[in-house]
Amino acid sequence: MSSAQIEIQLIASLVAIACAIPGTFLVLRKMAMISDAISHSILPGIVIGFFITQDLNSPLLIFLAALTGIITVVLVEYIQKTGLVKEDTAIGLVFPILFSIGVIMIAKNANDVHLDVDAVLLGELAFAPFDRMLVYGVDVGPKSLWIIGTILLITVALLIAFFKELKVSTFDAGLAASLGFSPAIIHYGLMAVSSVTTVGAFDAVGAILVVALMISPAATAYLLTNNLKRMLVYAVCFGVISAISGYWLAHFLDASIAGSITTMLGVFFLGVYLFAPNKGIIAVMYREKQQRIEVSLLTFLLHLKNHKEKSERHVNHLNEHINWQKVRSKTVLDLALKNNMIYIDKHIVSLTEKGEGFTSKAITYIITNKDAQIEDMKDDFFLFRG
Amino acid sequence: MSDKIAVKVDDLTVAYNYKPVLWDIDLEIPEGVLMAIVGPNGAGKSTLIKSILGILKPIAGSVEIFGKPYAKQRQIVAYVPQKGSVDWDFPTTALDVVIMGTYGSLGWIKRPRQKEKKAALEALEKVGMLPFKNRQISQLSGGQQQRIFLARALVQNASIYFMDEPFQGVDATTEIAIINILKELRKAGKTVIVVHHDLQTVPEYFDWVTFLNVKKIATGPVKDIFNDDNLTKTYGINYKVSIQE
Ligand SMILES: Nc1ncnc2c1ncn2[C@@H]1O[C@H](COP(=O)(O)OP(=O)(O)OP(=O)(O)O)[C@@H](O)[C@H]1O
Ligand SMILES: [Mg+2]
């Protein structure tokens, strides 16, 4: 690997981490669309900042652009508060206007400004290593690396300091307010961090990849855990893995790096969406199938308990009595046998002691709906799992 | 019950989008009562509690908790919001939600430690939810979620408790468990204010009541003011509730 390659991967990874942290809270607050709005509406801020500073990496430009991000959020909330339109509509109204103002400003000054809309939207990671940071004439690395590194450091420090406040205000804003943690301060703090991160990252990776890096890793992590800290860690990991694997995908396909990283983010999300152990589609389908079988088993056991007469319990006629197809009766019969719930004597099915006990317990549970009744049945059956 | 006034509301008017939903409310809640706030849907009961707790800004009026503004008294006030007001799919456990009750006494930045965890476990024990401490909150039944909220308020170890419909969607057993805990709080000298919908149980559960429908209709001891007249004024239709003494 050349040093430029390493630098590109490093920048991409730092951007991924810096995005995943605010992204996790945006996803939990159901505000994913706001990051899209911010990423577009910072354009006029960038253009104005560029007119003043002539330097895409100047702190003043970052500040001005981040301010446009906050203004977007304020405008969206203001329009929403009038009660005339819903939040998504308000977002859809605000950011295209700000974005087009930026586009017009660029077009009007196209001749003397080295800035184009494509660069803002898509960025060019491959060029990032060429813009060097010089300290007293000494090359200390790419500028983007320093910018995003600084932003990441601030983000992590804020996260560690205010984790508890972020958590409580995201889960229950009312409680947070009554405890004295102003949800408004935390909300705008999060918006400020999201805006600054977006601005700091757009030059290297482009606005679209920023949105993908904020939302996709967090959404993937959400499917894998019920613990906020772990969700943050997973989101960071997915972001970094996608960034690095995306870089190599682009390398071998000779394609856009930002596009490849976005593709990898999608691939990981899809993989987790399908295969996640609890919330994944396949796990859910499997669980539902198991539950169907277990409900059948229970129905079958209840039938046996209710009917002492032999005619109702003959193996070959069971399907007639409970009105099931042969295959289903067979599955259920096998399952009951395997669990020692029943025995078959001269083609007549009867409950074993264990089967009797289980059925009685199940009946009490169904009638009383008391959770204590089912705690020890849980190991055997999906049906009673929380 | 003492002669001290725990909560004093003066000329409180609250509006959403310039439409007043609470209008010129005056209210004095004595220390040590177990009080029900009753009124129809949309009467402004939740709004009243939220305004007292500084969650909503009133357009007029003031609130005092033991003679001081709420912001100075946060530490002694606990709040149980209406259950539907939070996202139960949030990635967190029952224990963690209860620990959130300790955040107020911790203040900004400081993190909960062993002491806070221990207090949370005790509160879970009190509401009979200890076996579920590590459950993800979406995997709890409605009644269990309500108990978690109650535990979160208990852990605040407050002097005044505000609860918005703690009996919503719970079965009879849980309702009795909750009311017993509330009565215990009153016995310990705490003031408990509960938004309540089941008029039949008001005389049995509470000793103080406030009728609310945009304006305050009446407030006072249940035995004096819980009558058909006030119910009719509040709900607008003829009410006949037989009161067991
Ligand atoms: N965020 C809001 N924006 C606008 N109007 C609101 C908002 N919240 C409540 N309202 C309105 O304010 C009025 C009072 O609402 P509030 O929630 O206080 O009623 P409530 O007495 O608690 O009712 P419920 O018994 O249904 O809980 C209602 O008319 C409601 O529509
Ligand atoms: Mg309410």
Side-chain angles (χ1 to χ4, degrees), chain B residues 16-17 19 21 39-48 50 82 164-165 195 197 212:
Chain B
Y16 293 107
N17 309 323
K19 173 186 159 250
V21 294
N41 290 129
K45 305 180 294 295
S46 302
T47 305
L48 176 63
K50 285 183 193 162
Q82 223 164 333
D164 204 342
E165 301 193 27
V195 174
H197 268 302
L212 189 75

Side-chain angles (χ1 to χ4, degrees), chain A residues 164-165 167 178 371 378, chain B residues 70 96 107 109-110 135 144:
Chain A
K164 149 177 136 265
E165 288 77 6
K167 178 158 92 178
S178 78
D371 284 340
K378 273 186 182 162
Chain B
Y70 174 75
D96 217 32
I109 298 180
K110 259 209 289 177
R135 276 272 181 100
Q144 292 169 338

Side-chain angles (χ1 to χ4, degrees), chain B residues 92-104:
Chain B
T92 192
T93 59
L95 176 61
D96 217 32
V97 171
V98 178
I99 291 179
M100 286 181 195
T102 68
Y103 286 7

